Structure formats: C-alpha cells, structure tokens
Amino acid sequence: MPAIFCYAPAMAVALRSREQMVYDLIVAGSGSVGAAAGYYATRAGLKVLMIDSAHPPHQQGSHHGETRLIRHAYGEGARYVPLVLRAQTLWDELEQLSGERIMHRSGVINLAPADSTFLNNVIESANAHQLNVQVLQTEEIRQRWPQLNVPDGYLGAFEADSGYLLAEQAIRSYIRLAEQAGCAQLFNCGVDSIGTEGDLQTVTTGDGVFHARKLLISAGTWVNQLVPGLPVRPLRKVFAWYQADGRYSENNKFPAFTVEMANGSQFYGFPAKDNALKVGRHDGGQWINTPQERTPFGSYAADGSEAFSFLRQFLPGIGVCLHGAACTYDNSPDEDFIIDRLPGHPNRLIITGLSGHGFKFASVLGEIAAQFAADQPTAFDLAPFSLNRFS
C-alpha cells in the first residue's frame, strides 16, 4: 500500500519541500498517544508531522478492539489520579469537538478479596481525591447485580462516573481534527531511524528524511527498534467476545468491571453489546521479541479458554466464545509508565511502558507532549515516571 499523505490545503506542498521544512514537532508513532499529541500540538499553532507505520486506527498496536476502560479511582496508585481526571476532561472535550460519542459512563465495579492491594488502592485513591466511589459488601453486590456470582469475602468499589472509551473512534477523531487543523500526516510509512543534525532532530523514513526541533517517540510495542536499551518488553495479549443476552447490557445498567480472582488473576470486561460481552485477562500472556511472534487469536491453545474459569465462577450466565483478537502490551519492569526526555537528548520525549493500562491516559499524555514541543511546563509531577528509576 502506498504512503498516505493527509494535508490541510495550506500544507499541500511537494514531498521534496516537506523534507526541507523544519517542523516544530515530529511524532514517531501516531497511535493513541501520538494521535492526541499531533492534534494538541497543531492546535497550539505548531508545525507538526505525524508518522506511523500503518494508518491509525489500525490493528498493529495496542488500541484496537473497540473499547478501553477508563477508571478514575486508580488501583495502580493515587499518583495516576490527577492525570486520569485531566484525561477525562479532554475525552469529554473531544466528544464535543468531533461530534462523535467517545465515552460511555456505564460505571465500573472493581471486585476483589477484601485484602486485595489493588482494591484498597482504589478505595484510598478515591478518598484522597474525593471521588464518587461506593464501597459495597458482598451481599450488596449480589443484590444490585444478580448476574454476578460474587464469592463470600469479596468487596466491591463502584465508580459511577467511570466507564469505557470507544478507542478506535477516539483515534479516528484525533487524526481527522489534526488534519483539519493543518497537521502533516505520513502514514503507512515506518520510521527507519532517528538522529541529529546540528540542533535538529532527524527522522529517516522510506519517503525521505525529515527535520524537527522536537521529537516525540510514541512507537508503542517496538519502541526499542528506535531507542535500543529501553526497559520495555513486548507482551502478547488476547481478549475475546462471549455470547451474552440483554441482562448484561448497558441498557440494563450492567457496568464495566475489573475482577481479581482469589489466585491473583486479573480480568476486565464491558457491558454486552449486540449480545456479545468482551472480556480480557490483564495478567498472563506471552513474552515476544519480534512482530511475527504476535500471532492471531487462537494460535495458542490457551487463547480461547483462559477466561473460562473466570466466567464460570463470576459470570455463569455468559455463553461460548464468539471471536477474539490479539494485541501487545509494552511493559515496563514495574508496569508504571515511562514519560521522560531521553538522557543526552533533551529535545526527545519518550512515552512508553504503558503496560496495558495506558489508553485512558492517551489524551492527557498527548497534551503533555504538545506542552513539551512548545517549551511549556506541565501541571503534573512526572518524576514517578522517569527513566532514572531503573538506574
């Protein structure tokens, strides 16, 4: 497939001229974070070039599969809450700007044994930030959602204002709005290498060498191909849709959910749509080293069955597996994000290591990248996400 160039009329210049142009920001990897960064930086008046090896939204990264949870009371730690609250504001704004529905406030019920670290972090972060979260005892959960078979000794933390995002629609909207704002977009064309030329960043592709004052590296799973030695490891993951009926639908007020089983396994899911309920397992998966190892759903015997024990115990009314998909996580060693300027390269920002819980933050991470490109400070404490924590 040939490279796709999308310009507003003012940007419709010959490729040779574009190679000679110095951009304020080049985005290497324009999936979730990169799509948002391209839009926000262009909206701020910067000259921006977005590059991606495919045409976002696509199925080569981590953003496909229709939906992603957005949780505000954060089991991964209260340090994420200010970021996710800003992200929510930006998602709501994107809905207004695009005219497309992005957010479903179905609510999210977090279920776990009473001594769960994750669940207690949810409750503590909700208290610290005065979030609308209701702590429910086992019997209260059963009465409210009789579809859920909750074991004795479990607690629930229900986030009424949370829910899920339409991930592919969100990226599609960012790509379109960026183009309309005048952003140059080079898709179906991967980045071969990055370098420097004087004070400028250089990005080499099959369609030429491009120059910018600042560079965002948001290349997802295979970021180590551009920046060798990063503490990021690709993990193959799957999710699937299972037969369900109207009892599990959003119209019946069935929420999105996270569940920690007694053995520590972690599952998540969404209200049923068109009689299909999507479920994924957050832990587990297969470590991989090449894109070819990210094989389709069904290529491992466990793909179609890894959720069965969870479904039998917690959602016994759910039926057979209808279809599934594979994706990849870009995991950091501690599963916290990496948001930092590369050592020795203050004009390069790296956003990676999102470890399977990053999509909900894509809007605010894109805004942070745009602030970096404009030499503006961010309102957030990013120290917990620096590379030096691995030194």
Side-chain angles (χ1 to χ4, degrees), residues 57-317:
H58 53 71
Q59 298 191 4
Q60 309 309 310
S62 302
H63 61 251
H64 62 288
E66 300 177 2
T67 52
R68 293 292 184 274
L69 292 182
I70 180 164
R71 301 173 281 112
H72 299 151
Y74 219 61
E76 290 82 353
R79 61 194 174 282
Y80 285 97
V81 175
L83 285 166
V84 79
L85 294 180
R86 176 58 182 166
Q88 182 67 72
T89 297
L90 292 171
W91 293 124
D92 293 340
E93 179 193 62
L94 180 62
E95 271 194 336
Q96 297 300 314
L97 292 170
S98 67
E100 301 285 350
R101 188 169 188 186
I102 305 294
M103 173 74 187
H104 283 246
R105 282 182 170 79
S106 61
V108 176
I109 179 67
N110 300 281
L111 300 172
D115 61 353
S116 161
T117 299
F118 179 90
L119 190 71
N120 282 286
N121 282 344
V122 169
I123 296 168
E124 289 173 10
S125 68
N127 291 336
H129 293 275
Q130 299 181 322
L131 302 178
N132 180 20
V133 173
Q134 184 180 9
V135 179
L136 301 171
Q137 302 297 317
T138 306
E139 193 55 39
E140 294 176 298
I141 302 165
R142 293 169 178 163
Q143 291 176 1
R144 189 161 180 175
W145 298 288
Q147 307 95 316
L148 287 166
N149 181 34
V150 184
D152 293 337
Y154 264 60
L155 287 179
F158 180 61
E159 306 178 50
D161 299 329
S162 297
Y164 63 95
L165 300 162
L166 301 182
E168 291 161 271
Q169 181 57 60
I171 293 174
R172 193 175 294 113
S173 296
Y174 273 134
I175 296 292
R176 175 173 59 83
L177 290 171
E179 178 191 353
Q180 291 173 352
C183 182
Q185 296 173 338
L186 175 57
F187 296 150
N188 290 319
C189 182
V191 174
D192 296 328
S193 63
I194 59 176
T196 56
E197 191 174 297
D199 293 334
L200 298 179
Q201 303 298 308
T202 61
V203 177
T204 302
T205 75
D207 281 306
V209 180
F210 301 91
H211 299 80
R213 296 178 179 87
K214 297 287 183 67
L215 173 62
L216 168 64
I217 304 167
S218 48
T221 307
W222 306 110
V223 67
N224 273 297
Q225 293 180 359
L226 295 181
V227 187
L230 285 174
V232 175
R233 192 176 181 190
L235 181 68
R236 177 186 177 274
K237 297 293 300 175
V238 297
F239 45 86
W241 287 260
Y242 296 83
Q243 191 174 55
D245 59 36
R247 292 175 297 159
Y248 301 91
S249 71
E250 196 172 341
N251 288 338
N252 196 42
K253 300 189 182 305
F254 191 74
F257 56 85
T258 73
V259 177
E260 181 181 320
M261 297 183 70
N263 65 3
S265 295
Q266 300 166 320
F267 290 85
Y268 63 90
F270 304 80
K273 177 185 177 185
D274 298 329
N275 295 321
L277 184 144
K278 178 184 170 185
V279 171
R281 181 177 175 180
H282 180 63
D283 61 316
Q286 298 84 33
W287 297 110
I288 59 176
N289 297 301
T290 67
Q292 293 73 28
E293 292 178 275
R294 200 193 86 165
T295 52
F297 180 87
S299 56
Y300 284 80
D303 288 354
S305 61
E306 73 171 12
F308 283 177
S309 62
F310 160 71
L311 291 171
R312 281 197 299 268
Q313 180 173 354
F314 287 87
L315 290 168

